[in-house]
Amino acid sequence: MRLAAFLLASCLALLAGCATPDLPTREASGAFDGLAEAIADERRGDDAARDAFRHPDATLRFFDVQPNHTVAEYAPGGGWYTKILAPYVAEDGHYVAVSFSGEQTGIDRLVELLSGFEQTFPARVEELSGVPADRVSAWFTTTAPEEVHGTVDRIVIPRMVHNLLRWNIANEELRGLRKLLKDDGLVGIVQHRAKPDSPWAYGDGSKGYLREADVVALMQVNGFELVGRSEINANPNDPADHAAGVWTLPPSLRLGEEDKDRYLAIGESDRATLVFAKAK
């Protein structure tokens, strides 16, 4: 029923001549109760400074993440979204951290970083968010137990698809995520966006950017269909053609002091915001 409503909203927006579907408007039902409080929580500390570029409130509303959902955050890393999602769903839903394994990549630092992820990351969630470790879960995508297949309402993948491509693990990870998702579940993706006519070097993930059409095609071949797109996280000031890739921009500022003021003026990257459902 929720997916049908989301698709209907998308269709109505398109019929009205909009380039993107309207955001879900469920405030009256209380479906997003607690989201603003989670975003305002003092535990987020310096993370809140990036809200102007990452728009967590609008993004999670667009993904239709509700407080009673089982929500999987993919490759949580430093925990920027963890600090929002885990408390938001702690009372009525369930937070799950899902990750690739380091061995899949063959990269030594990732093998070491992700060693024991399923056992240790719940404690990390408690450290970051205050949500008790025994109220969250952590799974590797491709080895999650069969009993959790089809149990996840929403999967959030922030700025990560380019890494899956450059590490050559995109297909197996996306197919593993599809198994975890409920039949009426949704996948929300935020991805650094290359220009539509950019060369392949800006489409294979090595620069951190991907062409939006390539992301859609990748999801389609792995069993998903696009049901919504938004310009919530767009930045028209980003030319998306940096020789050193997306890491040229803040917060990374890979070039150090070289043209720093210019890159700070651009801000964070231009990003596509996309919602996918399971293809039938």
Side-chain angles (χ1 to χ4, degrees):
M1 183 64 69
R2 290 192 297 268
L3 177 56
F6 188 90
L7 289 168
L8 177 60
S10 299
C11 292
L12 290 175
L14 292 171
L15 288 172
C18 300
T20 60
D22 293 331
L23 304 186
T25 53
R26 302 176 187 268
E27 289 85 345
S29 69
F32 297 113
D33 284 353
L35 180 57
E37 290 79 3
I39 292 171
D41 193 284
E42 63 182 11
R43 287 180 182 271
R44 296 189 62 226
D46 294 341
D47 285 359
R50 301 185 68 188
D51 289 358
F53 295 108
R54 292 190 169 187
H55 310 102
D57 186 90
T59 299
L60 293 176
R61 287 173 187 266
F62 185 67
F63 293 164
D64 194 23
V65 177
Q66 300 178 32
N68 63 343
H69 279 162
T70 294
V71 179
E73 179 187 5
Y74 184 74
W80 196 92
Y81 261 110
T82 308
K83 295 178 188 177
I84 299 171
L85 287 170
Y88 175 48
V89 301
E91 184 173 345
D92 297 315
H94 187 63
Y95 171 84
V96 180
V98 181
S99 179
F100 56 93
S101 69
E103 285 78 6
Q104 285 174 272
T105 69
I107 300 172
D108 289 343
R109 66 177 178 84
L110 293 178
V111 172
E112 181 178 357
L113 180 66
L114 292 169
S115 177
F117 169 82
E118 294 173 303
Q119 291 74 41
T120 62
F121 200 78
R124 174 65 172 157
V125 175
E126 182 170 357
E127 176 187 350
L128 290 169
S129 69
V131 176
D134 61 3
R135 294 177 61 184
V136 303
S137 302
W139 308 322
F140 284 124
T141 314
T142 57
T143 60
E146 285 192 18
E147 58 263 30
V148 302
H149 289 180
T151 65
V152 175
D153 295 285
R154 299 289 183 269
I155 298 173
V156 179
I157 307 178
R159 305 170 312 282
M160 191 62 194
V161 178
H162 62 283
N163 285 325
L164 301 184
L165 282 171
R166 65 180 180 149
W167 297 335
N168 200 30
I169 62 173
N171 290 331
E172 60 183 322
E173 284 297 292
L174 291 172
R175 291 176 187 182
L177 291 173
R178 191 180 190 280
K179 291 179 181 179
L180 296 175
L181 194 65
K182 288 182 177 179
D183 287 343
D184 65 346
L186 297 173
V187 178
I189 291 179
V190 179
Q191 175 56 47
H192 309 295
R193 178 168 53 190
K195 301 301 182 186
D197 58 352
S198 60
W200 177 241
Y202 277 82
D204 67 355
S206 61
K207 299 290 187 180
Y209 291 96
L210 294 175
R211 295 176 295 240
E212 186 171 324
D214 292 343
V215 177
V216 173
L218 175 67
M219 294 296 287
Q220 287 176 335
V221 300
N222 284 290
F224 298 94
E225 59 180 336
L226 180 70
V227 296
R229 50 162 46 98
S230 173
E231 292 299 296
I232 295 168
N233 295 298
N235 180 1
N237 296 321
D238 178 16
D241 62 355
H242 314 289
V246 72
W247 306 279
T248 304
L249 298 176
S252 298
L253 293 170
R254 174 176 281 181
L255 300 184
E257 295 300 314
E258 182 181 339
D259 291 328
K260 180 178 179 179
D261 289 343
R262 173 190 167 200
Y263 298 126
L264 287 173
I266 291 173
E268 295 193 20
S269 65
D270 179 48
R271 292 162 186 163
T273 305
L274 307 168
V275 178
F276 296 87
K278 277 187 172 181
K280 304 303 182 185

